[in-house]
Amino acid sequence: MKSFLNVQDLGNLHQALQEAVEVKQDRFQWQHLGKNKTLLMVFFNNSLRTRLSTQKAAMNLGMNVIVLDVNAGAWKLETERGVIMDGDRSEHLLEAIPVMGSYCDLIGIRSFAGLTDREYDYAETVYHQFLKYSGRPVFAMETATVHPLQAFADLITIEEHKRKPRPKVVLTWAPHPRALPQAVPNSFAQWMNAADVDFVITHPKGYELDPAFAGNATVEYDQMKAFEGADFIYAKNWSCPGVTCPDQYGKILDDYHQMMHWTVDAAHMAVTDNAHFMHCLPVRRGMIVSDDVIEAPTSLVIPEAANREISATVVIKRMLESL
Ligand code: CP
């Protein structure tokens, strides 16, 4: 595997899930694969879980790890071609990427959407520059439009906790004070569409996900109706994807104070089938979810985060095997 952005990159999803089970049984059994190999993790944005779980995964596989926080100690990088670099950006990504590639065997990239230019974000411009110019296999650690390591961990968690062969999984928009990317809901939708689940998306009008990710999911604008009989509630905020209102791309459509009835609380969970609560974290309590719901025994936010180590181990293992 030379690139990991989408669920299709893993091939047979059932096999990938089986591999996750094997990794969980003994996550150190492939240490030989990473001997004398180096993973470079490049962060253009903050992280807690991705940073720790991906580094741990690489160490499980016997790798050395270098972490670069681009905005804390590196030269400021120019990403546009054809510009006169007379500002504060001292180095161009087109030199920096092959240099980075010369020091490692695999590269993980975290580079969020700018949320101003939909075409630029949805082309995954930065990720594809790394893929083209580094000469190394590259994987997304949340890029402009996707967060596949998160979605893989989410699916592993659902597989571990489902109580029926085909559970009802609901992705719900929830309020947030700042405009957030669509990467997590995009990937979650893509992976749920590939999994054996009854998948429903609920959000206020205007937040329709890109059809490439929403696929054939049922969209239900009545949140309480969507929650009825659900087995898993996956909460997340996202800004306007610009599908039904292109001029609003990356924006919050309504003052969040007016949208607090979308916060997942006990009244919402009461109409589910004793659903598990899920969120990728970090989460704002009182905005996305109430304290009692996230602290309930049915909340999976911690096992879900722990499974990030498992999803990353499977993906890095696959990349090492294809070197
Ligand atoms: N869920 C997730 O990716 O967390 P971090 O942003 O802390 O890495």
Side-chain angles (χ1 to χ4, degrees):
M1 188 166 58
K2 302 292 185 196
S3 171
F4 181 61
L5 267 186
N6 297 305
V7 66
Q8 294 82 6
D9 295 326
L10 276 184
N12 184 304
L13 188 54
H14 180 74
Q15 274 177 15
L17 287 166
Q18 186 51 41
E19 211 166 309
V21 171
E22 288 165 25
V23 165
K24 214 153 183 180
Q25 282 162 354
D26 177 4
R27 60 198 72 187
F28 305 110
Q29 60 182 302
W30 297 278
Q31 287 246 323
H32 59 282
L33 288 177
K35 187 173 161 49
N36 296 333
K37 297 284 190 298
T38 299
L39 169 66
L40 172 61
M41 298 163 62
V42 182
F43 287 93
F44 289 85
N45 307 96
N46 295 341
S47 167
L48 186 152
R49 279 143 292 274
T50 304
R51 175 185 302 261
L52 298 179
S53 61
T54 311
Q55 183 160 356
K56 176 63 165 58
M59 294 190 304
N60 291 347
L61 294 160
M63 296 189 82
N64 301 309
V65 182
I66 305 172
V67 181
L68 177 67
D69 286 299
V70 172
N71 298 316
W75 301 111
K76 269 200 166 182
L77 291 175
E78 177 57 63
T79 56
E80 299 293 323
R81 208 169 158 274
V83 296
I84 296 170
M85 290 171 58
D86 58 355
D88 63 344
R89 298 181 176 196
S90 312
E91 178 151 24
H92 203 287
L93 205 54
L94 293 178
E95 283 79 57
I97 291 173
V99 169
M100 292 184 215
S102 73
Y103 302 139
C104 64
D105 300 281
L106 305 180
I107 301 181
I109 304 294
R110 168 158 288 203
S111 175
F112 290 173
L115 296 180
T116 53
D117 182 342
R118 187 182 198 280
E119 200 177 332
Y120 182 87
D121 289 344
Y122 273 72
E124 288 289 1
T125 309
V126 173
Y127 181 87
H128 286 296
Q129 283 180 329
F130 270 89
L131 201 56
K132 185 170 177 185
Y133 297 114
S134 71
R136 303 295 177 205
V138 177
F139 61 92
M141 299 195 300
E142 188 171 342
T143 54
T145 63
V146 291
H147 197 357
L149 287 172
Q150 180 65 53
F152 189 13
D154 296 334
L155 180 56
I156 293 167
T157 311
I158 288 170
E159 286 293 313
E160 288 173 339
H161 290 86
K162 69 184 184 185
R163 296 171 301 230
K164 53 186 83 150
R166 189 176 167 84
K168 178 177 178 181
V169 178
V170 179
L171 168 63
T172 182
W173 182 94
H176 196 280
R178 297 174 57 193
L180 297 184
Q182 297 110 44
V184 169
N186 280 346
S187 280
F188 188 73
Q190 184 188 63
W191 286 67
M192 287 306 111
N193 281 322
D196 192 13
V197 302
D198 174 14
F199 184 44
V200 178
I201 307 174
T202 183
H203 54 72
K205 288 203 168 148
Y207 288 99
E208 290 77 13
L209 295 176
D210 190 298
F213 297 104
N216 294 324
T218 302
V219 176
E220 171 56 66
Y221 294 106
D222 181 333
Q223 190 191 27
M224 287 305 255
K225 199 169 165 198
F227 274 43
E228 283 172 10
D231 299 291
F232 294 89
I233 298 296
Y234 194 97
K236 186 72 184 81
N237 172 269
W238 63 91
S239 59
C240 174
V243 172
T244 53
C245 36
D247 55 327
Q248 297 295 306
Y249 172 66
K251 303 239 174 351
I252 295 175
L253 298 178
D254 295 290
D255 185 329
Y256 71 83
H257 294 99
Q258 313 303 319
M259 305 305 290
M260 297 302 281
H261 54 288
W262 279 80
T263 301
V264 179
D265 61 13
H268 286 79
M269 297 302 280
V271 303
T272 70
D273 188 5
N274 195 27
H276 290 288
F277 175 81
M278 299 179 73
H279 187 280
C280 62
L281 303 180
V283 69
R284 291 185 185 237
R285 289 180 178 217
M287 294 286 316
I288 302 284
V289 60
S290 61
D291 289 314
D292 52 348
V293 170
I294 196 168
E295 291 171 3
T298 43
S299 170
L300 293 178
V301 295
I302 305 303
E304 188 183 349
N307 276 334
R308 289 292 305 277
E309 179 186 339
I310 306 304
S311 63
T313 304
V314 173
V315 168
I316 296 171
K317 172 179 167 292
R318 291 269 185 108
M319 289 196 153
L320 287 171
E321 285 168 340
S322 68
L323 282 179

